[in-house]
Amino acid sequence: RKEVEQDPGPFNVPEGATVAFNCTYSNSASQSFFWYRQDCRKEPKLLMSVYSSGNEDGRFTAQLNRASQYISLLIRDSKLSDSATYLCVVNPGFKTIFGAGTRLFVKA
Amino acid sequence: ETGVTQSPTHLIKTRGQQVTLRCSSQSGHNTVSWYQQALGQGPQFIFQYYREEENGRGNFPPRFSGLQFPNYSSELNVNALELDDSALYLCASSVGLADGDEQFFGPGTRLTVL
């Protein structure tokens, strides 16, 4: 079993759609969780940290369920510029584990 | 931009050769991590350095080694290159060792092994 698993994708959605990404992790000792965004042939960039209480940043909402070892990212009102790969990231201490990423294509 | 730079941008080597990749972190960032990203995969953690000492290592063989220098620069060395080493190599710097510290990535070095 992979340490971090994400929806394989790709997701193809029209502009304005709501899309949700799911991620599960295997190490119950993990303390920090993130979503990163990676554009084609570019470096990953932090989208948002994920907290147990859930957090929201504009159109983006992230949630963490420690009991189920599950992380989600919700994007509302999708824009063309949201097209990218979304990486789920877990830090169980002394190393950072990335999921394989989920590719999102937003179409006009 | 993140302020993290890497060199070279692209590199082509042959099997068995050795390669050194370089990274310059943001000023004040004491931690640098190196990742290998194969096509279609997420970045895989190679190792992390904090104040010039190795602080953690992923599942990579000893032929992957590193150095961190006091001037916020670092190196990734790979000996006896194999075809499977072809990938994008990313470095990321952060302020300290806290799990929640944001990592700032460089643009990467794309290594091709023939």
Side-chain angles (χ1 to χ4, degrees):
Chain A
R1 181 185 173 188
K2 291 183 179 179
E3 293 181 276
V4 177
E5 296 201 56
Q6 295 187 238
D7 292 330
F11 284 35
N12 292 283
V13 303
E15 273 186 295
T18 296
V19 60
F21 300 133
N22 301 313
C23 171
T24 58
Y25 60 95
S26 61
N27 190 329
S28 59
S30 300
Q31 295 296 320
S32 300
F33 310 90
F34 310 90
W35 284 100
Y36 275 73
R37 171 193 168 127
Q38 187 171 26
D39 292 300
C40 190
R41 304 187 75 82
K42 296 285 190 179
E43 70 273 19
K45 292 184 179 178
L46 179 66
L47 179 65
M48 58 198 307
S49 301
V50 187
Y51 306 113
S52 296
S53 55
N55 48 305
E56 185 173 317
D57 183 2
R59 299 182 292 109
F60 299 84
T61 301
Q63 294 193 319
L64 167 65
N65 184 322
R66 287 186 183 271
S68 301
Q69 295 179 203
Y70 168 87
I71 306 161
S72 66
L73 176 68
L74 185 75
I75 304 176
R76 292 180 298 278
D77 189 22
S78 299
K79 311 292 184 190
L80 294 175
S81 57
D82 293 334
S83 296
T85 296
Y86 290 83
L87 298 159
C88 175
V89 183
V90 174
N91 192 327
F94 299 111
K95 65 177 182 178
T96 302
I97 306 169
F98 282 75
T102 302
R103 189 80 172 89
L104 172 66
F105 294 95
V106 180
K107 300 179 179 180
Chain B
E1 299 304 323
T2 64
V4 180
T5 59
Q6 291 186 243
S7 62
T9 305
H10 297 85
L11 199 54
I12 299 174
K13 292 285 190 178
T14 56
R15 272 188 306 175
Q17 286 190 309
Q18 179 266 343
V19 69
T20 297
L21 309 182
R22 294 181 172 83
C23 172
S24 180
S25 301
Q26 281 193 28
S27 179
H29 283 195
N30 295 304
T31 304
V32 64
S33 302
W34 284 90
Y35 297 86
Q36 179 194 69
Q37 187 173 24
L39 200 60
Q41 299 297 315
Q44 298 296 306
F45 177 77
I46 302 175
F47 43 57
Q48 179 186 83
Y49 279 78
Y50 175 72
R51 293 189 171 175
E52 302 157 52
E53 297 284 336
E54 187 176 299
N55 186 61
R57 190 176 183 91
N59 296 324
F60 281 80
R63 58 189 186 84
F64 285 78
S65 63
L67 287 171
Q68 184 186 28
F69 304 101
N71 64 350
Y72 304 111
S73 66
S74 59
E75 291 179 355
L76 164 65
N77 298 288
V78 187
N79 294 321
L81 284 166
E82 300 177 0
L83 296 180
D84 285 349
D85 295 335
S86 295
L88 179 68
Y89 288 84
L90 296 158
C91 74
S93 73
S94 52
V95 173
L97 287 177
D99 292 347
D101 282 351
E102 179 179 355
Q103 295 189 57
F104 296 85
F105 283 83
T109 294
R110 191 163 298 278
L111 172 66
T112 302
V113 182
L114 302 176

